[in-house]
Amino acid sequence: VRHGQLASLDFLGDEGALEVQEMLKGAEFDFLGPWRSNASLIRAMNSKLVRGLPVLVDDFLNTTLAQDVYNEFRAASEAGSLHSELTSNLEFESTGVNISTYHAASSPSDRCRALSEVGDRFAFRHHGCCKEEFTESSAPAMHRLFRALGGSWMFALNLLLKGSGYRLVDPEGNKEQLEMALDKNSFREFAVGDYHLLHTDTLDARVLTVNYWLPTPGWQTAWGGSVLWCGLPRFDGDGATPPTFP
């Protein structure tokens, strides 16, 4: 959406935010955190989504569910069920990033600029696993989250996108489309030495990407592990999400 078009767009507004708040009171949305009852926050989320800005929501998931999902994934990690997924065997220090500049960065914007120096060459390394290995009996919380992310949640996301000109797949439409959308859900562990270089998630006509960040309980911000959000070059509206658990 071009900024010049924003004045003519139909944002969610106060009344619409209250409607979304009322909708999210339903039991099918109890996997969400307390933000679902905050109409002001819902309206602010819509305003940012229309402008193409990242929305950062603390306690996005219900705290108990978040803890259960974390425990299930940690159990899979400790059992050796995860495997390394990578684009190359390069260590972060060998990806072309100026390490001295990177570590000397005093703000998220400076760190974004340091990462951007490698251009469009995206490299990553993380640990993951096939969802088929997370059975309903071994990972009930994960399966609860899988189910919750379909159906009514799709309707809610479409409302949160009001005014953007975008829409997710119709949950009452093509069932195959919906299943493909839900299949995009993935769980990843960032172990020692894992990283993602600067990249965009706007691929394959993707309308919206939702990232749930579940750091290790007790993790200290000084140890690193923040999620870095970078805007367009100049990186004026950037920020870092500290790794704190719900």
Side-chain angles (χ1 to χ4, degrees):
V1 178
R2 293 187 178 89
H3 288 289
Q5 296 175 312
L6 290 177
S8 63
L9 291 176
D10 185 14
F11 286 78
L12 195 58
D14 290 333
E15 186 175 340
L18 287 171
E19 289 180 7
V20 174
Q21 178 192 38
E22 189 63 29
M23 176 184 182
L24 295 180
K25 288 181 180 178
E28 67 270 33
F29 296 108
D30 63 3
F31 70 98
L32 297 172
W35 68 269
R36 66 180 176 137
S37 61
N38 187 331
S40 297
L41 179 56
I42 289 169
R43 182 178 180 182
M45 291 169 66
N46 168 251
S47 179
K48 286 191 172 184
L49 289 171
V50 168
R51 290 174 169 81
L53 299 174
V55 178
L56 308 180
V57 182
D58 292 328
D59 298 335
F60 186 84
L61 295 176
N62 172 292
T63 301
T64 301
L65 176 61
Q67 183 70 64
D68 290 344
V69 168
Y70 172 84
N71 288 338
E72 289 173 1
F73 198 73
R74 181 173 181 176
S77 175
E78 292 175 347
S81 300
L82 307 184
H83 59 268
S84 182
E85 300 172 342
L86 44 79
T87 52
S88 73
N89 287 314
L90 289 176
E91 298 294 327
F92 176 70
E93 292 76 9
S94 303
T95 57
V97 174
N98 186 316
I99 300 301
S100 297
T101 303
Y102 178 82
H103 287 299
S106 59
S107 71
S109 295
D110 289 340
R111 184 151 287 186
C112 287
R113 293 187 186 96
L115 289 171
S116 70
E117 291 179 359
V118 301
D120 296 329
R121 189 172 70 255
F122 176 46
F124 69 83
R125 186 170 72 190
H126 57 245
H127 288 70
C129 187
C130 301
K131 286 195 299 185
E132 292 78 9
E133 296 191 26
F134 295 118
T135 65
E136 186 141 18
S137 59
S138 67
M142 288 188 184
H143 277 264
R144 179 188 169 198
L145 189 56
F146 290 152
R147 290 192 299 269
L149 293 174
S152 298
W153 175 232
M154 290 287 187
F155 278 120
L157 284 177
N158 280 330
L159 288 174
L160 288 172
L161 288 167
K162 180 178 173 61
S164 68
Y166 293 110
R167 182 175 175 82
L168 303 179
V169 295
D170 186 345
E172 290 188 343
N174 190 314
K175 184 177 180 181
E176 184 177 341
Q177 265 193 328
L178 178 59
E179 289 176 350
M180 278 179 53
L182 294 177
D183 193 51
K184 298 289 185 182
N185 296 315
S186 60
F187 292 87
R188 295 168 179 169
E189 177 189 43
F190 287 84
V192 175
D194 287 351
Y195 62 89
H196 276 193
L197 292 189
L198 192 64
H199 66 283
T200 175
D201 280 343
T202 53
L203 304 171
D204 303 324
R206 188 178 293 162
V207 170
L208 182 68
T209 298
V210 182
N211 294 287
Y212 313 96
W213 187 234
L214 303 175
T216 302
W219 187 269
Q220 296 181 28
T221 303
W223 297 342
S226 295
V227 178
L228 186 68
W229 300 97
C230 299
L232 296 174
R234 279 201 335 202
F235 308 118
D236 295 329
D238 315 313
T241 307
T244 56
F245 199 79

